[in-house]
Structure formats: C-alpha cells, structure tokens
Amino acid sequence: MEKYGVNQLRKMFLEFFESKGHLKMNSFSLIPHNDNSLLLINSGMAPLKPYFTGQEIPPRRRVTTCQKCIRTGDIENVGKTARHGTFFEMLGNFSFGDYFKHEAISWSWEFLTKVVGLDENRLYPSIYEDDDEAFDIWNKEIGIVSERIFRFGKEDNFWEHGAGPCGPCSEIYYDRGEKYGCGKPGCTVGCDCDRYMEVWNNVFTQFENDGHNNYTELVQKNIDTGMGLERLAVVVQDVDSIFDVDTIKALRDKVCEMAGVKYMEDEKTDVSIRVITDHIRSVTFMASDGILPSNEGRGYVLRRLLRRAARHGRLLGIEGRFLAELSKTVIEISKDAYPELEEKKAHIFTCINTEEENFNKTIDQGLSILNGFVEELNNSGKKVLNGENAFKLYDTYGFPLDLTKEILEEKGIEVDTEGFNKAMDKQRETARKSRKVSNYMGADSTIYEDIDTALTSKFIGYDKVEASSDIIAITAEYKEGDQVTSELVDVISEGTNGSIITAETPFYATMGGQIGDTGVIETESGRFIVKDTIKVAGDKIAHLGYVESGELKNGSTAKLSVTADRRALICKNHSATHLLQKALKMVLGDHVEQAGSYVSEDRLRFDFTHFQAMTPEEIAKVEAIVNEQIDKDLKVKTEVMSIEDAKKTGAMALFGDKYGEKVRVVSMDDFSVEFCGGTHVPNTGVIGTFKIISEMGVAAGVRRIEALTSVGAFNYYKEMEDELKAAAKAAKAEPAKLAEKIETMLAEIKALTSENSKLKDKLAKNSAGDALADAVDVNGVKVLATSVEDTDMNALRNLGDDFKNKLGTSVVVLASAKDGKVNLIAMATDDAVKKGAHAGNIIKASAALVGGGGGGRPNMAQAGGKNPAGIADALAKAVEIAKEQLNA
C-alpha cells in the first residue's frame, strides 16, 4: 500500500466523489453562518445543516467537502496524549434526498480498498444492531462474512440529537496490527486500545424523532458520511498518531528545531511539543477566518489556545515571540487546500504577534504572582488555590483558567473552580464588558483601570431618557500605522472615536442580556454620537461613539439624550423575556432556568435549561400564554429590596448570578416576579404581541428561543402575508385556497411525471428498433451492445430489463448520449453470471473509452462519461470483454 500524504489523500477523496456526481465545495468558515447553536464549526455536516433541514436549497443534491473543524471539549488532554487534538479536517460526502445506503456503503468500500488500497482483510464494518438492511449490503453485496460485521447499540451507532432527523450509522474500522493493541484476550473491534481505528462513518438519516423516541420514516432520506483526514493518514502511513503524519510531523519538527529538542526523548518535553503543534494549527486557521482574541466566545477559544501554546514554548526554552513564525509552516503545508491562509497571512501574523506580545508582557509578572500563591499554600499546607486568586490571574494577567490549572497541576495543586466562577460573575461587567471596548475601539481595555477609582457612574434612566450630568472622564482613540491605541484626554474633537463617562446617565449599559442604549451627548461646545453603552472597571459607565461636531471637554456639563423609540422597543422585548420564562416553567416544568439572553430593539433571544427539543404543541402553548398575559395588560412594578426580602416574594434569580445586598425586583402582577436590573414597559399591554420564530439547541441541556414583539412581530406577519399573497398569485389561487391548489398541482405534476417517464421508455424502445436482432451468441449467452439516443440512466435500466426478458440468458450493454454526457449500463442475467459474465468488470473496461469511470455488481453496473464520441468504441470493448468472460 502506498503511503499517501495528507494533501494527496484530501485530493484523492474529493476527486473520487466528484467522479460519483458530487459537487466539490470549499471548506466553510470556522465561524458558523446563521447558526446560533455553535461557537465554532466542529463537523463536516455542521455548515450544511440548512440543506439537511430544507431551510436552503443545496447547489446540488450530492456534495463533497473537506471541512476545517475545531473541537475544544477536551483541551486539557491535548498534549498529555497523542490521541487528542483541537484542529482537524473532516472529509465528507453528503446526499440531500438523492442516494442512500447502497451507494454510501459501496463507495466508502470502493474508496478505501480500490483508491487508497487498504487491505480488505483488515477492514471491519460495524452497523446499528437493528439495521438488517445495512448488514445485507455489507454481507451480500460487498461480500463481508457475517463474523466480521459488528452490531453495536444506540450509544455507538445511532446518530440523533433529541427531536428531529436521525438514523443509524455504519462505521468502518481498520486493524492496525498487534503492535498497536492492548494484548488482552478478546481484543477486537470496539476495544479502547489503538489497534482497531475507526476511519469512516456512514450516517443514514432516515427517521424523524418526535422528541419522545417515537420514530417515523422520512420521505427525504439523507446521507452524512465522512472521516477525519488525519486519522486516515495515520492508517495509510502506518504511524503511531496524528502527530506523526507527514504534514503535522513537518510542523512538529519545526517546533523541535526552534526549541532545540528532540521528540520522544522526554515525556514532559513531548507534551509541550504536542500542545504547540496542535494549537498553532487551530490559531492559524481561526485567525484566517477573522476571529480575533478576546475574553469571550470564539475569541476566547483563540486566546486560550494561543496563550497555552506560548507558555509551553517557554517551557521548551524558546525565547521571545515564535508562534507567528511557526504559523508560516502551517500556511505553507496547507495553503493549496486553503488559499485563505496565504491571502490573509499578514493579518494572521499581526493577530498572533500582538496577542503573544501582550501575553509576554504579563506572563512573567503573572508567574511571579502565581509562585507567591504557591509558596503561601505550601507554607500553610493547603493544596487548593482559592477562586478569587485564580480570577485575579485571569483578569489582571491574562491567564485563562485552564492555564492556571495546568501550571498548578504540575505542582500537585488544584483550583477552586466554583470560587473562580463566582468571582467571574461578580466582575463580569467590569472585566468582560471593558474588554468589549477593545473590539469597538481597537483600544487596550485597561485604559479604564487608569481612571481614578473614586470616580463612578450612576444609572438614572429607569424612568427617564434625558438628563444632565458632568463629564468625569474621556478616552480618545488614536491610530499609528496599523496600531490603534486609546488614551485618557481632557478634550475630544470632531471626527474622533472614543468614550465619555459621566457622573450620572440615563443610558443603560449592556448588561444581563440587554444591549446598551444609543443616543446623543451634547455640551455647549460639541455633539457626541453614542453608538453603544457599556460598564467598565470601577463602577463606571462608558458611552462609546464619536464626536460629530465641535469638541467636548472633561468637567463640562452635558445633556444626555437616549434614542427613545429604540429604548422603548428594547423594553418591550425585555419584558417579554420575563413572561416567556414563566410560561416555559408552566409548560415544560420547574427545571427550566434562564441560561442566557440577548435583548435588542429588533428581537429577543432566550436560552434556558431543558433537555430535549420543544414540540410544536409546546411552542404554541408557550406563545399563547405570553400573549394572554399581554392581553391582560398586567402592571409592571419594580422595587429595590434586600435579597432576603426578595427571596420571600418568590422572585426568580438568574441561575449562577451573583447579587449584592440590595436587589431590584420586577413583578408583573402575580404572574412573574424576577430579580432584574434592566428596563421594562409600564404594563404588559404595551408589548402588543409576541411571536416565537425559532427554537433550537445551543449546548447540552440548553435550548434557545428567538422571538419578536411589537413592531418586529407585525413586520414579520406582514412579510408572511406578502409571501402568502405572492405564492397565491403564482399559483393563481386565492390565499385561502392555496393549500388546496398546491395539492392539486402536486397531483398533476406526479401524473405528468409518470406519463413523461412512460413516454421516455417508449421512445427509448422505439429508438432501439430491431437491436435484438444484433445480439450475438457466445456459448449459449446472448450478448447485446447497442446505443440509444437521448436517454437517461433510469430509462436505460428499464430498457435493459426489457431486453433481458426477451433475450433470456444474456448480457446487455446500453449506452446513450444525453446533454453532452454519456450514460453507460451493463446487465447480466443470473444464469449468464454463473457462466462467467461480470457486468461490473465490463463497465470498468469500457467506461474509460467515454471519458468516465464506474463499476458495480456482477449482474448490474453503470458509469458516466464525458465523451459521446467514444460510445462506439466503448460498446465494442464491452462485447470483447463479455466474450472473454464467457469463453474463459
């Protein structure tokens, strides 16, 4: 077996499925598009979900991709073993209601054995325990003896995620040999050791789960199959792990060269080598897709990986910045498949260098602080670092929690994770939100930490949208080359971006899921446009934006005006989330807890704990309850009270939130009572109406609802009405009769399609004319090879069956040119097969003459081609091969 490289294998896979009629699509971005359920693309099918669900029409019903993916679920184990990694490429072939199990299984086997050249005797398929159809295909069609086909249960070989499409899987394992095994008696497929490696997974999406494990057959069955490119390379190259395949080894060797070390000589050194090798791949690809380091979301994933790699570089003795230089190797080995790496390399290097430099500025001081904590723990005989100290390392020195845990683990010390989370909650509006300033202004977020801590801001906007207050601090943004910095200034002038902080403000700062207000700040000398409002370090509220005209001075009195109509819409959506949470508890149960929210003027998003998809009936019931409370025009009352008194009222607190001694309680009569610091409507009738537009899963045990109220809902209804009218007009029917008209049209289409098919068959038979008379006798078998004009593959099959019936013991080969392409089919009766005929081999030999390829079973095979001019030669070759088979 040839030991193909990673780049060769990728190319071979994509070209193979292109030959099977698949459209090759480039890898999608790691940033999910219109998919709030994912932080990063983590599988080949993830970006194709709209095609599987029917939300979007695929460019072709057969698609093949090599998708870049990142998974960080077990990041702590990366490096410690050679099994784990965060970045990988997923090879996949997909069918959206086209082919199904026969083709998927056959092609996976053909690619692995015929194209890659894996030994058939070392490949073992597995199936879902009840999938007899897949068993028969493997056993009777592929020819795998039953003893080598493994049946596994739902946990291993059935793909599903709550309610929705699901189905059985069929995996293919490769026996890598005893040297990779555990040596235990009975070691076989399914063992946890490294001997039997799964290289392919066929997912047959054929059922719909209603959420209660009741399954119905899908009309449109889909195929989602694929395999990890690196895993395949491990098998093909017969190496120990993904870190030993050619491309990753080249990167690994570069790490060793930079550090002046060798791999597989020291266990601790090997851990660092693997961490850096894996993480720089993820970091480089994430940066190429426009992900920037930050303290939340996918930006935080990038920061964690980059800083973990930087720290392990130090452990190896690498001086100064080195990750951007290392990323050049990533780009070099992968740019042919991912040209965006080369196109964005300047951005990639800047992104990596800046973040690594920032980390290098703080890591020595942070390590010094951490060593001080360790010394204190050792002196006191304790083995757990408290959460507040771990948070200080995170907030001040940029140490992600897992980095602190990793460093301390090496010293036998644990971290109080719960305490860390509490500290994070307490300061998330001064740490996380201040870092958002750097996203908006491109400035160092620590600028706010330089402001006098005695200066604070007070929000006074619960019952007003205008106020006057003194400016107590100003920041301005300056650009020098490619670098953007922010400084504290006394004056900010026209055209300058920056932020203004006042002693009091009616502007609500982003918090608790509610987005910040926009508006205007004016003084006698200037006008500042507020684009966003956030909380920053030291109980301050920063108004972010730019000077539209004149200049604003620190210490001057300003008039602050919130965009009132936008605030009103935000209030409606925010109040609706309170009604929604109570309605969810009523319909789904008391286990429902808020897990996050996002409230803007356009819509609301509400995340909640629940362990399966909501049914349409549950969604409708929740929606009805919320609208019922809106119709009741409930009075919305807010009170500030002690947390003990608040709890006595039965008010719902946000799961995991940290509260002070005094809390604000928002009640909507007796229906809803919650802790909340946000702005609300005076009564629920103001909300107008409520409409749920989506419900989806975002994490294990967490669901998300998106909904509209007021203007947003009415606009939505108007759009739906316009679409209904347009559809009715196109169908030439009244809207009320549209469904009936569509059913009639579908019935007509079905009848016409059937009639058209019959006519095609008839035309094909007529065009074949007296072809039967051209059949030749070869040892008692009639061999017929002829061409038919403008006929598709389905009609050729029907015609072939008709000829076989008329000829008796026979081999029939038919070819047709249609739309500039060639359809080629060979068929043999069972008794002809017994005499030596093999349709698959006939097709293999003749398809090349029409510029194509194909194959199949002894009794039936087909192929496509691009050269109609070669049909006559292909048919002549088919007769020649058939005669050789029957005369053997």
Side-chain angles (χ1 to χ4, degrees):
M1 178 179 68
E2 186 171 342
K3 295 186 176 181
Y4 299 107
V6 167
N7 292 323
Q8 289 175 286
L9 288 169
R10 184 193 303 110
K11 187 170 184 286
M12 290 161 64
F13 180 89
L14 295 173
E15 288 181 350
F16 174 79
F17 278 100
E18 280 187 292
S19 78
K20 303 299 184 185
H22 292 64
L23 172 67
K24 183 187 79 172
M25 297 181 72
N26 292 331
S27 174
F28 292 82
S29 169
L30 286 166
I31 302 174
H33 176 68
N34 291 334
D35 185 354
N36 295 320
S37 68
L38 291 177
L39 187 66
L40 293 160
I41 291 299
N42 60 6
S43 69
M45 68 82 66
L48 302 173
K49 282 198 287 187
Y51 301 149
F52 283 110
T53 60
Q55 292 174 331
E56 294 180 22
I57 298 173
R60 195 180 297 176
R61 292 176 71 188
R62 299 181 181 186
V63 165
T64 184
T65 64
C66 182
Q67 176 65 44
K68 52 192 175 186
C69 304
I70 288 180
R71 293 181 186 172
T72 57
D74 52 8
I75 187 173
E76 289 81 10
N77 289 320
V78 175
K80 294 178 184 176
T81 75
R83 276 185 169 189
H84 297 88
T86 58
F87 180 85
F88 63 98
E89 297 177 61
M90 183 62 77
L91 300 167
N93 58 288
F94 308 92
S95 168
F96 311 110
D98 192 344
Y99 61 84
F100 202 48
K101 292 183 185 179
H102 290 271
E103 294 87 345
I105 291 175
S106 174
W107 290 337
S108 60
W109 187 255
E110 181 183 349
F111 178 78
L112 291 176
T113 60
K114 306 301 181 186
V115 179
V116 178
L118 295 182
D119 184 352
E120 294 183 4
N121 296 317
R122 298 175 74 172
L123 290 169
Y124 296 79
S126 74
I127 59 169
Y128 175 55
E129 57 191 357
D130 296 333
D131 194 355
D132 292 331
E133 181 185 7
F135 178 88
D136 288 341
I137 295 171
W138 280 115
N139 180 237
K140 298 177 182 178
E141 296 180 17
I142 305 300
I144 307 297
V145 295
S146 58
E147 293 78 16
R148 291 180 55 212
I149 304 172
F150 290 77
R151 292 180 184 263
F152 291 144
K154 219 173 188 184
E155 184 177 345
D156 296 308
N157 272 39
F158 196 95
W159 182 87
E160 67 179 334
H161 290 283
C166 57
C169 306
S170 178
E171 299 172 327
I172 304 175
Y173 292 80
Y174 181 80
D175 180 3
R176 302 170 68 204
E178 292 181 2
K179 63 179 178 179
Y180 295 108
C182 57
K184 297 176 182 177
C187 175
T188 186
V189 173
C191 182
D192 287 334
C193 72
D194 291 331
R195 176 171 177 174
Y196 297 91
M197 180 177 281
E198 176 206 330
V199 292
W200 197 301
N201 186 20
N202 297 278
V203 180
F204 311 123
T205 311
Q206 65 185 101
F207 302 112
E208 177 79 16
N209 183 347
D210 67 355
H212 302 285
N213 293 327
N214 298 311
Y215 300 91
T216 53
E217 196 91 2
L218 285 172
V219 176
Q220 175 177 304
K221 296 177 176 63
N222 300 316
I223 289 291
D224 162 22
T225 81
M227 61 179 159
L229 175 58
E230 294 86 349
R231 273 195 172 201
L232 178 63
V234 168
V235 166
V236 172
Q237 297 175 23
D238 192 26
V239 293
D240 287 346
S241 75
I242 59 172
F243 293 94
D244 302 299
V245 301
D246 63 318
T247 51
I248 303 179
K249 181 180 180 296
L251 186 57
R252 191 194 79 196
D253 290 344
K254 185 68 175 177
V255 174
C256 292
E257 177 188 325
M258 285 181 163
V261 297
K262 291 186 178 180
Y263 190 56
M264 298 299 285
E265 284 192 353
D266 177 77
E267 185 178 344
K268 285 187 177 180
T269 298
D270 290 347
V271 169
S272 294
I273 293 170
R274 287 191 290 262
V275 166
I276 298 168
T277 301
D278 170 79
H279 288 8
I280 192 59
R281 297 177 76 212
S282 289
V283 165
T284 302
F285 276 87
M286 291 174 77
S288 76
D289 280 341
I291 299 172
L292 295 171
S294 70
N295 233 28
E296 62 177 343
R298 57 184 69 95
Y300 184 56
V301 175
L302 174 54
R303 173 164 285 169
R304 287 174 67 195
L305 296 172
L306 191 149
R307 294 190 169 190
R308 192 167 187 248
R311 188 234 167 196
H312 278 276
R314 285 183 164 232
L315 292 179
L316 291 180
I318 300 176
E319 297 289 336
R321 295 185 316 195
F322 70 100
L323 291 174
E325 182 65 28
L326 192 56
S327 74
K328 292 179 182 178
T329 303
V330 179
I331 294 170
E332 193 58 35
I333 61 181
S334 301
K335 65 182 181 182
D336 288 343
Y338 303 99
E340 65 269 24
L341 294 173
E342 179 71 15
E343 295 165 5
K344 303 291 185 183
K345 65 180 180 182
H347 167 78
I348 294 169
F349 299 153
T350 300
C351 172
I352 294 174
N353 275 328
T354 302
E355 179 66 11
E356 190 176 8
E357 185 66 31
N358 289 340
F359 187 50
N360 284 341
K361 286 178 182 178
T362 59
I363 188 171
D364 288 330
Q365 191 175 0
L367 285 172
S368 176
I369 298 294
L370 181 56
N371 288 333
F373 291 154
V374 171
E375 187 174 343
E376 290 174 10
L377 288 170
N378 288 336
N379 291 338
S380 63
K382 296 179 180 178
K383 289 293 182 182
V384 179
L385 179 70
N386 71 55
E388 289 189 1
N389 284 338
F391 182 78
K392 182 179 180 180
L393 287 165
Y394 160 85
D395 191 40
T396 307
Y397 303 105
F399 278 43
L401 176 61
D402 63 325
L403 181 57
T404 300
K405 288 167 69 176
E406 183 176 356
I407 294 170
L408 292 179
E409 184 183 339
E410 296 164 6
K411 303 177 184 296
I413 297 173
E414 296 180 358
V415 177
D416 174 17
T417 304
E418 185 178 347
F420 174 91
N421 290 334
K422 287 180 179 178
M424 172 74 88
D425 290 340
K426 181 180 178 181
Q427 295 191 31
R428 69 170 182 241
E429 298 309 320
T430 59
R432 186 185 67 190
K433 296 303 180 183
S434 67
R435 284 179 173 84
K436 280 197 170 182
V437 180
S438 64
N439 290 340
Y440 176 74
M441 294 165 45
D444 190 340
S445 62
T446 59
I447 189 69
Y448 295 107
E449 295 166 13
D450 296 336
I451 301 173
D452 185 350
T453 55
L455 298 174
T456 59
S457 303
K458 182 181 179 182
F459 174 64
I460 57 171
Y462 284 121
D463 56 359
K464 64 179 74 173
V465 291
E466 288 189 352
S468 292
S469 185
D470 293 337
I471 297 174
I472 60 174
I474 300 174
T475 70
E477 176 188 298
Y478 297 103
K479 191 172 183 181
E480 299 175 3
D482 293 332
Q483 296 296 315
V484 179
T485 59
S486 187
E487 296 178 2
L488 286 171
V489 296
D490 288 325
V491 180
I492 185 169
S493 304
E494 185 172 328
T496 304
N497 289 337
S499 66
I500 290 179
I501 298 174
T502 55
E504 295 182 333
T505 178
F507 283 74
Y508 184 83
T510 301
M511 184 170 55
Q514 179 176 330
I515 65 171
D517 282 330
T518 61
V520 178
I521 297 176
E522 293 179 282
T523 67
E524 291 182 352
S525 59
R527 178 180 170 91
F528 184 88
I529 304 300
V530 180
K531 302 294 290 181
D532 195 8
T533 308
I534 64 171
K535 291 198 76 173
V536 296
D539 288 330
K540 300 175 185 65
I541 296 173
H543 307 86
L544 312 180
Y546 64 94
V547 182
E548 183 181 65
S549 61
E551 62 181 24
L552 289 86
K553 300 176 182 178
N554 193 18
S556 60
T557 300
K559 178 183 178 183
L560 297 93
S561 304
V562 175
T563 307
D565 53 353
R566 179 176 180 271
R567 160 77 80 82
L569 292 172
I570 293 171
C571 289
K572 293 174 183 179
N573 283 332
H574 195 162
S575 295
T577 65
H578 285 225
L579 298 175
L580 173 60
Q581 180 170 3
K582 181 60 182 291
L584 286 167
K585 282 182 175 286
M586 292 170 65
V587 173
L588 302 178
D590 287 336
H591 65 277
V592 169
E593 292 281 353
Q594 180 173 338
S597 68
Y598 177 79
V599 179
S600 70
E601 72 272 29
D602 299 318
R603 64 179 59 206
L604 65 92
R605 187 176 73 212
F606 189 80
D607 295 349
F608 58 98
T609 54
H610 190 53
F611 301 96
Q612 59 188 26
M614 292 176 65
T615 66
E617 292 77 16
E618 288 170 338
I619 292 173
K621 194 170 182 180
V622 167
E623 194 175 273
I625 290 172
V626 174
N627 279 307
E628 181 183 352
Q629 303 309 311
I630 291 172
D631 289 343
K632 287 182 178 179
D633 202 19
L634 304 178
K635 183 179 179 180
V636 178
K637 183 175 68 173
T638 60
E639 293 179 277
V640 177
M641 59 183 76
S642 70
I643 193 164
E644 290 79 13
D645 290 340
K647 288 178 178 178
K648 290 175 184 176
T649 68
M652 290 186 287
L654 292 185
F655 182 75
D657 260 26
K658 180 78 172 179
Y659 295 97
E661 291 182 7
K662 294 287 186 179
V663 293
R664 191 164 180 270
V665 176
V666 177
S667 59
M668 300 175 184
D669 276 5
D670 295 331
F671 182 77
S672 168
V673 186
E674 288 189 37
F675 292 26
C676 183
T679 61
H680 290 276
V681 296
N683 55 73
T684 59
V686 174
I687 298 171
T689 189
F690 174 83
K691 176 64 183 174
I692 295 174
I693 58 172
S694 70
E695 190 275 347
M696 68 189 80
V698 292
V702 179
R703 306 295 302 175
R704 170 172 292 168
I705 278 178
E706 292 199 359
L708 304 171
T709 69
S710 182
V711 175
F714 292 127
N715 288 340
Y716 173 81
Y717 292 136
K718 180 65 168 62
E719 289 172 8
M720 293 298 101
E721 183 182 16
D722 290 345
E723 288 182 17
L724 176 62
K725 287 180 178 179
K729 183 179 180 181
K732 297 180 179 178
E734 291 296 319
K737 299 285 187 180
L738 181 58
E740 182 181 328
K741 183 63 180 287
I742 289 174
E743 289 178 0
T744 301
M745 292 169 69
L746 288 173
E748 290 175 354
I749 290 170
K750 185 177 180 180
L752 289 170
T753 300
S754 177
E755 184 179 347
N756 188 41
S757 180
K758 291 176 182 177
L759 288 171
K760 283 183 175 180
D761 287 348
K762 186 175 180 180
L763 286 170
K765 291 176 183 178
N766 291 339
S767 66
D770 299 323
L772 290 171
D774 296 331
V776 297
D777 189 292
V778 182
N779 286 337
V781 178
K782 296 288 187 181
V783 177
L784 172 63
T786 189
S787 61
V788 185
E789 292 183 9
D790 195 31
T791 303
D792 61 25
M793 192 65 79
N794 189 51
L796 283 184
R797 278 195 294 269
N798 293 336
L799 186 59
D801 287 335
D802 186 57
F803 283 162
K804 284 194 301 176
N805 291 334
K806 292 178 179 178
L807 290 170
T809 303
S810 58
V811 174
V812 177
V813 183
L814 302 175
S816 180
K818 183 176 176 63
D819 300 328
K821 296 181 180 179
V822 178
N823 294 317
L824 189 63
I825 191 167
M827 309 173 79
T829 58
D830 290 342
D831 42 7
V833 171
K834 290 179 181 178
K835 293 187 176 185
H838 194 296
N841 292 338
I842 292 173
I843 285 294
K844 284 180 184 176
S846 56
L849 297 173
V850 290
R857 305 183 302 277
N859 62 338
M860 203 279 280
Q862 63 188 49
K866 302 175 183 177
N867 178 26
I871 286 178
D873 291 338
L875 291 173
K877 186 67 174 179
V879 173
E880 177 188 332
I881 299 299
K883 287 180 177 179
E884 291 177 1
Q885 291 174 345
L886 296 167
N887 284 319

